[in-house]
């Protein structure tokens, strides 16, 4: 399959030293989302599901998934930031915005945009487990399996992707590109591929 490149004409936000190409089209994302929703509902057919989105990357994923799930669904968001960006990341995570409502006794599905080293998810799982949900599951849209450091996994995974820096469908580079409908690989002219930190 020929991978579609996106020019500055199509996406005016593109900077001169950056190029993007579609990795997963929005149509493929939507199709996979329906399947993920079915998988989750198969496991919890009658349960009220409480989705927790990790801001901001998971916003489109969560809202699209919520509409595919059917049945009773509520949601909440939290925001975290990693201390120490880069390859020497300590894995310490700082809570920026806490949950609005208690998750005790609820069937919780954590909705993450991308699983990279897994350090953020490891922190989040510990944080949520302490709050005694009835069930705790994780759904991720994208999984860079080869980057994993922490021993964590998602219960439901949209796509396993190679170690390339991706933007679009909520994912950003420096707060840009979140509004691209497709999941795209971002590359820099001077540096070649932008690998995640
Ligand atoms: P982890 O703790 O290394 O698994 O990092 C997960 C977080 O890193 C995600 O929620 C994203 O915010 C960010 N991230 C990792 N890889 C990418 C990428 O390719 N594009 C955009 N953000 C990414």
């Amino acid at each position: 399959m020929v991978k579609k490149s996106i020019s500055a004409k199509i996406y005016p936000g593109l900077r001169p030293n950056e190029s993007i190409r579609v990795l997963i089209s929005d149509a493929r994302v939507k199709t996979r989302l329906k399947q993920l929703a079915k998988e989750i509902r198969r496991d919890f057919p009658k349960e009220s599901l409480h989705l927790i989105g990790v801001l901001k990357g998971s916003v489109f994923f969560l809202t699209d998934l919520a509409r595919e799930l059917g049945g009773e669904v509520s949601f909440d968001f939290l925001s975290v930031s990693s201390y120490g960006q880069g390859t020497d990341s300590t894995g310490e995570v700082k809570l920026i915005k806490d949950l609005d409502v208690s998750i005790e006794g609820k069937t919780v599905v954590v909705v993450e945009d991308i699983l990279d080293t897994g350090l953020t998810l490891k922190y989040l799982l510990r944080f949520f487990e302490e709050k005694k949900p009835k069930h705790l599951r994780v759904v991720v849209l994208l999984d860079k399996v080869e980057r994993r450091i922490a021993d964590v996994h998602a219960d439901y995974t949209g796509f396993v992707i190679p170690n390339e820096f991706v933007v679009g469908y909520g994912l950003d580079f420096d707060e840009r590109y979140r509004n691209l409908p497709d999941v795209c690989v971002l590359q820099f002219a001077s540096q070649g591929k932008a690998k995640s930190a």
Side-chain angles (χ1 to χ4, degrees), residues 54-58 80 82 85 89 91 93 112-122 142 144 147-149 152 161-168 170-173 178 184 194-197:
V54 185
L55 292 171
K56 306 169 198 162
S58 70
V80 292
S82 299
Q85 300 288 306
S89 171
V93 177
E112 256 282 46
D113 52 358
I114 187 164
L115 195 45
D116 188 28
T117 63
L119 294 168
T120 307
L121 184 61
K122 190 175 179 183
L142 307 168
K144 288 190 202 174
R147 290 261 308 161
R148 193 79 80 257
I149 293 173
V152 288
I161 62 165
N163 180 19
E164 297 194 273
F165 196 83
V166 287
V167 293
L171 288 145
D172 76 308
F173 172 66
R178 289 196 197 276
C184 299
K195 301 259 172 169
S196 44

Side-chain angles (χ1 to χ4, degrees), residues 61-195:
F61 181 36
L62 183 145
T63 53
D64 285 344
L65 185 68
R67 283 174 287 187
E68 292 297 336
L69 280 167
E72 201 174 306
V73 173
S74 56
F75 48 79
D76 201 351
F77 293 94
L78 57 57
S79 180
V80 292
S81 80
S82 299
Y83 287 123
Q85 300 288 306
T87 47
D88 61 345
S89 171
T90 59
E92 282 180 76
V93 177
K94 184 182 171 191
L95 189 69
I96 306 286
K97 183 215 165 291
D98 204 343
L99 298 172
D100 289 340
V101 292
S102 164
I103 59 169
E104 191 173 337
K106 292 185 178 164
T107 297
V108 169
V109 182
V110 181
V111 183
E112 256 282 46
D113 52 358
I114 187 164
L115 195 45
D116 188 28
T117 63
L119 294 168
T120 307
L121 184 61
K122 190 175 179 183
Y123 167 87
L124 287 174
L125 288 177
R126 222 181 298 138
F127 178 77
F128 294 138
E129 269 156 14
E130 280 171 12
K131 298 179 185 303
K132 304 198 179 349
K134 181 177 174 192
H135 302 283
L136 184 59
R137 297 290 184 273
V138 177
V139 58
V140 296
L141 179 67
L142 307 168
D143 189 352
K144 288 190 202 174
V145 177
E146 63 185 272
R147 290 261 308 161
R148 193 79 80 257
I149 293 173
D151 182 22
V152 288
H153 72 279
D155 300 288
Y156 312 96
T157 301
F159 302 90
V160 172
I161 62 165
N163 180 19
E164 297 194 273
F165 196 83
V166 287
V167 293
Y169 196 65
L171 288 145
D172 76 308
F173 172 66
D174 214 9
E175 293 301 324
R176 293 183 289 122
Y177 298 117
R178 289 196 197 276
N179 59 332
L180 279 173
D182 311 293
V183 175
C184 299
V185 172
L186 175 65
Q187 292 180 315
F188 297 96
S190 50
Q191 295 162 265
K193 284 176 187 175
K195 301 259 172 169

